[in-house]
Amino acid sequence: GHSSFTKAYLSLLALLKHQDYYRTLLFAAAAPVGYFGNPIFFSIQIFRVIERSDSLQNVIKSVTSKYQDLLWTAGLGLVVIFLFSMCAFYYFSDKYYDVERNPDLGRGFSCQELWKCFFLNVAYGLRQ
């Protein structure tokens, strides 16, 4: 038979090889660090909710498994916004610089250059 030290060593080795041990250790360490240090570490505890919820895990799987399709869709959206920005730049650039109607435009946002017009439409067009 094995000695008690060998059994303890093998048990500890098996524990350290198990991935759940590190995750549990992270969650256990986040609580006192959040309490005594910065409360932002409490947000790590939210991942435990995701870990235990089958519905949230399915949402994460569906989003991460199709990330390439999502990136292509986002790229297509940026192309469409760029085409709209080109039309806005060539035909409506004077309307974008109306500070009374758009107070944010007084802070350097204008449609006087195409790249500024594009970023203006990305920033404010997606919010509206």
Side-chain angles (χ1 to χ4, degrees):
H2 295 292
S3 69
S4 61
F5 176 75
T6 307
K7 288 181 183 177
Y9 175 73
L10 291 175
S11 296
L12 181 64
L13 193 61
L15 178 68
L16 292 177
K17 286 183 178 180
H18 205 268
Q19 191 178 22
D20 288 338
Y21 170 73
Y22 294 107
R23 207 174 11 228
T24 304
L25 188 65
L26 174 72
F27 291 136
V33 172
Y35 185 75
F36 293 111
N38 192 339
I40 195 76
F41 286 98
F42 284 128
S43 64
I44 293 174
Q45 301 286 336
I46 294 173
F47 289 113
R48 187 63 126 185
V49 175
I50 295 172
E51 180 183 343
R52 291 178 183 246
S53 171
D54 291 335
S55 299
L56 291 176
Q57 285 183 5
N58 289 335
V59 169
I60 298 287
K61 284 178 190 173
S62 68
V63 170
T64 56
S65 67
K66 301 290 184 184
Y67 71 93
Q68 189 174 13
D69 294 340
L70 290 172
L71 287 175
W72 280 110
T73 304
L76 178 63
L78 289 175
V79 168
V80 169
I81 292 173
F82 182 75
L83 293 173
F84 177 80
S85 298
M86 285 178 55
C87 293
F89 175 71
Y90 286 112
Y91 298 112
F92 306 110
S93 62
D94 56 332
K95 305 281 190 232
Y96 275 76
Y97 203 68
D98 189 0
V99 179
E100 288 144 12
R101 285 185 16 194
N102 300 319
D104 293 329
L105 297 179
R107 291 189 260 158
F109 293 106
S110 67
C111 203
Q112 302 302 318
E113 297 175 39
L114 182 57
W115 68 273
K116 286 183 178 181
C117 196
F118 172 70
F119 286 117
L120 180 73
N121 282 313
V122 168
Y124 290 104
L126 294 176
R127 291 187 211 170
Q128 299 296 325

